[in-house]
Amino acid sequence: MRAEAERVDLLVIGAGMAGLTAAARAVRAGLSVAVAEVGPDVGGSARFAGYAWTAPSHEVMDRQNPRGDTALKRALVDRFDAGIAWIRSIGVEAKDAQPILGFGRGHQFDTNHYADTCRRLVLEGGGELLLETETERLLVEGGAVVGAELCSAGGGRRRISAGATLLATGGFQGDLGLRTEHVHPYADRMRLRANPHSRGAGYRLATAAGAAAGPADAGFYGHLVPTGIPFADPVDFVDLTLYYSEHALLLNLRNERFTDETLGDHLTAMALLDQPESRGLLIADARVFRDWIGGSYVEGAVAVDKFALASKRGGRVGLAEDLDELAWLPEEWGYRGEAVRDAVRRFNKQAAGSGSLTPGREFDRLPLDEPPYYVIETEPAITFPFHGVRIDDRARALGADGRPIPGLLAAGSDTGGLWHRAYAGGLASALVFGLTAAASAAEL
């Protein structure tokens, strides 16, 4: 690596969905670009995804995510179609729109093909890609960010001046200290459902340069997974995720329901983190097994029998031939079997009536009265936090005074404000604000 200073129009720190998108778009617009990535390859957690989706309208976005930053929500909804058009414009197929999560719409596409295509565009356009490279600090002059100092795995150092510097390192979910400080006091209990390289580099660089961060208590994006089963491969991020929880019952260690499971597995994961030991029993009947456990979460996804996989991998699972057998849960699990049986029986009685349920069941009020019963003990796993660097709708990082910091941009999971204990598409956000960052860099 060269030690002397050099200049580019856009320095991108992080080569995941947001960073690659910004770099490829900037090169196509004629900008000079350098990309620094701490990992051995590009793509980040986007390689494990497969859909770009979000809310189809401002009304739906506001209903699902009422506390999110209004300007960022508007930008995501308004620019999403242009993001899909960009994917198609570089030769990557994005399929026709389909429903996602009951309220969203999205497009399936090959994220590996997309990441590799963006890398090719950057290199063919004269851009530079620096892998296994740490960003040690941002260069700040007169309150403006003017580049960064980099260090390679071999110890080589490099100083790059830039008209704009984009932070797109993927969040801080890989750092237990930042998780417990900014997500939840028990956030260190959760397993990491993402690549291991997103450890808060962008967050630390931005805040050291005076950027604001937030919001407090915003939550995280994640899902429920079986307890006691380590992720052996990134494929497990999807295969072990218990998406069907939206149609099952979830009981805590007090043998009680504590949330409306039907609002979404990603929301239930946040709710479970607050419960004793952050674990619970997910209970489904034959109807849920038939319709949801072995089915595809979204159209086109590979169907995986979550119960069979959890059982094969040594998770805490059980099969009860009738409700009474739920009373025979193993004592070492920590639940009272009789209380679990009675909780399911009580729910079924309430669900079959016309009265209210507490907690409610907004989207699936059907009783679980078709034996046998499938039991998996579950816990939340984190993909990325909702707390991050504050930006405006042009992807410009904001200082404590709410004004943009000259020369500093941020996109993707490094940012905060868009989601607040709600979620409607992380890949879409990285795509849209990656493109936005490239446009903002071109203006500098």
Side-chain angles (χ1 to χ4, degrees), residues 99-123:
I100 306 285
L101 277 186
F103 69 86
R105 65 177 177 89
H107 303 261
Q108 184 180 23
F109 70 108
D110 186 337
T111 51
N112 287 287
H113 184 201
Y114 180 79
D116 294 338
T117 299
C118 285
R119 170 172 48 193
R120 176 177 57 78
L121 291 174
V122 169
L123 295 176

Side-chain angles (χ1 to χ4, degrees), residues 100-169:
I100 306 285
L101 277 186
F103 69 86
R105 65 177 177 89
H107 303 261
Q108 184 180 23
F109 70 108
D110 186 337
T111 51
N112 287 287
H113 184 201
Y114 180 79
D116 294 338
T117 299
C118 285
R119 170 172 48 193
R120 176 177 57 78
L121 291 174
V122 169
L123 295 176
E124 289 179 352
E128 189 172 14
L129 175 61
L130 306 169
L131 297 176
E132 297 182 296
T133 298
E134 300 267 2
T135 301
E136 293 197 328
R137 71 182 183 96
L138 297 179
L139 304 175
V140 182
E141 296 179 1
V145 173
V146 296
E149 287 187 353
L150 312 175
C151 180
S152 72
R157 311 186 77 80
R158 189 160 172 185
R159 179 185 178 99
I160 298 181
S161 298
T165 300
L166 170 64
L167 300 175
T169 66

Side-chain angles (χ1 to χ4, degrees), residues 41-65:
D41 195 7
V42 303
S45 294
R47 288 196 179 273
F48 315 137
Y51 295 82
W53 72 277
T54 193
S57 68
H58 297 311
E59 293 74 21
V60 173
M61 176 66 82
D62 289 342
R63 184 167 62 251
Q64 296 294 327
N65 182 28

Side-chain angles (χ1 to χ4, degrees), residues 412-442:
S413 299
D414 277 348
T415 67
L418 174 59
W419 312 119
H420 196 123
R421 304 195 76 82
Y423 178 73
L427 211 62
S429 169
L431 172 66
V432 164
F433 288 101
L435 293 172
T436 300
S440 291

Side-chain angles (χ1 to χ4, degrees), residues 16 30 33 45 84 124 150 156 198 202 234 238 259 288 300 303 311 355 385 420 428 443:
V33 173
S45 294
I84 299 302
E124 289 179 352
L150 312 175
S198 295
V238 173
T259 191
V288 174
S311 179
H420 196 123
E443 296 171 357

Side-chain angles (χ1 to χ4, degrees), residues 284-295 370-372 374:
D285 69 349
R287 172 185 64 85
V288 174
F289 180 88
R290 183 175 58 249
D291 295 345
W292 301 103
I293 291 182
E370 185 180 341
Y374 299 81

